[in-house]
Amino acid sequence: MIGVLVVTHGSIGEALLTSATQILGAAPQQVATLSVWRQDDPDDLVLRARELLEGLDAGDGVLVLTDIFGATPGNVVSRLLEDGRIEGVSGVSLPMLLRVLTGRNGSLKGAVQRALSGGAEGLVHMNTD
């Protein structure tokens, strides 16, 4: 099973995981969050993230989801990436997370595609028509 690490500003990742757990009816396995706060040292965050990754990777790789590309969480994630073993996707949302969590038994490349499609298909202009 592909592991999932959610790295976000503040407690956004924790809230997304709590909501996903409520929707799915059970806490997903091999999932962790890393909260990034203003006072955190990026080098320390990378070390903490690497420790989490070790516990999440059961041999199928880990998908790391983050909120904003180019911000501290995204910069931390960029220092963790290893093609084919640790992949990253920014713009995490609840639809993206749910799509990933409900289809982690395939390839890591497939999980990346599910994350991207979940994020894109989760964007819908709602109106009265």
Side-chain angles (χ1 to χ4, degrees):
M1 178 185 305
I2 295 162
V4 177
L5 176 61
V6 183
V7 181
T8 61
H9 287 91
S11 57
I12 295 169
E14 293 171 6
L16 287 171
L17 185 54
T18 298
S19 295
T21 298
Q22 177 187 3
I23 292 167
L24 297 173
Q29 298 178 2
Q30 285 179 249
V31 180
T33 63
L34 178 62
S35 297
V36 176
W37 303 97
R38 180 178 299 275
Q39 69 273 13
D40 288 336
D41 179 294
D43 292 331
D44 289 340
L45 290 166
V46 170
L47 291 174
R48 288 174 29 210
R50 285 195 175 127
E51 289 175 2
L52 290 169
L53 289 171
E54 286 180 24
L56 294 172
D57 190 356
D60 296 316
V62 179
L63 179 58
V64 185
L65 305 175
T66 188
D67 50 10
I68 303 175
F69 180 79
T72 301
N75 293 337
V76 167
V77 170
S78 71
R79 293 172 58 185
L80 304 169
L81 303 177
E82 297 177 31
D83 286 344
R85 182 172 170 265
I86 302 169
E87 299 281 346
V89 175
S90 67
V92 67
S93 64
L94 188 54
M96 177 188 291
L97 181 59
L98 287 168
R99 181 75 56 95
V100 169
L101 292 177
T102 57
R104 294 188 289 153
N105 290 321
S107 69
L108 183 54
K109 183 178 180 179
V112 168
Q113 291 305 312
R114 282 188 299 283
L116 294 171
S117 66
E121 292 170 15
L123 296 174
V124 176
H125 174 201
M126 297 171 53
N127 60 25
T128 58
D129 292 339

